[in-house]
């Protein structure tokens, strides 16, 4: 039975799993996107999002708590300076997982996990939405369209006289 087993152990001991997730969180904060397996990405999201949420409130206690998990000064500084500014108004969901297919060697499901506010391509698509068009029947398309008369320019009127 699997009573009280709510997270993926990733076939590792607790110390190994904590080290793996801490290193992946550091890489995610510094690089903004990492390529990994789907199981590791889902485990990383559960580990990293509460730490990212701590960065919204920049206090010494929060910095020390995040540093106790990550053990990397550069990552903590980056998290509390640049990342915290971008996520200040976001209520949650700081990471996005995009599946990329299966790995050739062992057929493992692969994906990349990224910080949501750092993907410029998705931000552009969100801001510039296309206008929706309605479908028209063929009859209305076949109907002749009358064009408005084109006003002549003063130069064309002078040459006509």
């Amino acid at each position: 039975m699997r009573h009280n087993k709510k997270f993926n152990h990733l076939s590792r001991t607790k110390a190994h799993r904590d080290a793996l997730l801490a290193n992946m969180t550091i890489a995610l904060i510094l690089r903004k996107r990492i390529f990994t397996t789907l199981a590791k990405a889902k485990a990383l999201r559960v580990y990293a999002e509460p730490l990212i949420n701590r960065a919204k409130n920049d206090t010494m206690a929060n910095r020390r708590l995040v540093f106790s998990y990550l053990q990397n000064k550069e990552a903590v500084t980056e998290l509390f300076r640049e990342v915290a500014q971008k996520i200040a108004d976001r209520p949650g969901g700081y990471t996005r997982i995009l599946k990329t297919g299966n790995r050739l060697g062992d057929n493992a499901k692969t994906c990349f996990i990224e910080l949501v506010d750092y993907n410029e391509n998705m931000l552009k698509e969100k801001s510039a939405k296309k206008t929706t068009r309605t479908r028209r029947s063929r009859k209305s398309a076949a109907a002749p369209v009358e064009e408005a008369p084109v006003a002549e320019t003063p130069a064309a009127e002078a040459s006509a006289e």
Side-chain angles (χ1 to χ4, degrees):
M1 290 184 235
R2 35 181 328 271
H3 294 306
N4 202 20
K5 296 186 178 187
K6 295 183 179 178
F7 60 94
N8 192 345
H9 295 279
L10 299 173
S11 299
R12 289 164 170 82
T13 62
K14 170 131 176 64
H16 188 186
R17 189 171 54 249
D18 287 343
L20 170 81
L21 293 174
N23 287 331
M24 288 177 70
T25 305
I26 292 167
L28 179 66
I29 291 169
L30 295 178
R31 297 191 181 121
K32 312 301 187 254
R33 174 187 295 176
I34 56 174
F35 187 79
T36 184
T37 62
L38 186 61
K40 287 180 187 174
K42 287 179 178 179
L44 176 63
R45 179 170 51 190
V46 172
Y47 186 86
E49 290 212 1
L51 297 178
I52 296 171
N53 196 25
R54 287 266 177 192
K56 285 183 175 183
N57 188 8
D58 190 4
T59 62
M60 185 61 68
N62 282 344
R63 281 182 179 261
R64 286 180 175 169
L65 190 114
V66 170
F67 183 76
S68 72
Y69 283 95
L70 298 183
Q71 298 292 315
N72 187 309
K73 289 181 184 177
E74 292 82 21
V76 173
T77 304
E78 175 84 11
L79 177 64
F80 278 88
R81 284 196 185 151
E82 282 81 33
V83 177
Q85 290 175 355
K86 287 226 177 188
I87 63 158
D89 58 341
R90 183 175 289 276
Y94 310 113
T95 58
R96 174 186 298 127
I97 295 175
L98 294 168
K99 298 174 186 172
T100 57
N102 293 350
R103 197 160 49 197
L104 288 177
D106 58 354
N107 206 32
K109 293 179 182 177
T110 57
C111 65
F112 59 84
I113 182 169
E114 64 183 3
L115 295 176
V116 171
D117 293 320
Y118 282 90
N119 190 340
E120 291 82 19
N121 295 331
M122 294 239 182
L123 293 176
K124 288 178 187 175
E125 290 175 10
K126 185 178 179 183
S127 63
K129 287 190 174 183
K130 294 182 180 179
T131 59
T132 58
R133 289 193 238 169
T134 58
R135 289 187 161 212
R136 303 284 182 214
S137 66
R138 298 191 88 157
K139 292 178 186 176
S140 64
V145 178
E146 295 181 22
E147 294 182 8
V150 179
E152 292 185 17
T153 59
E157 290 175 4
S159 63
E161 293 176 5

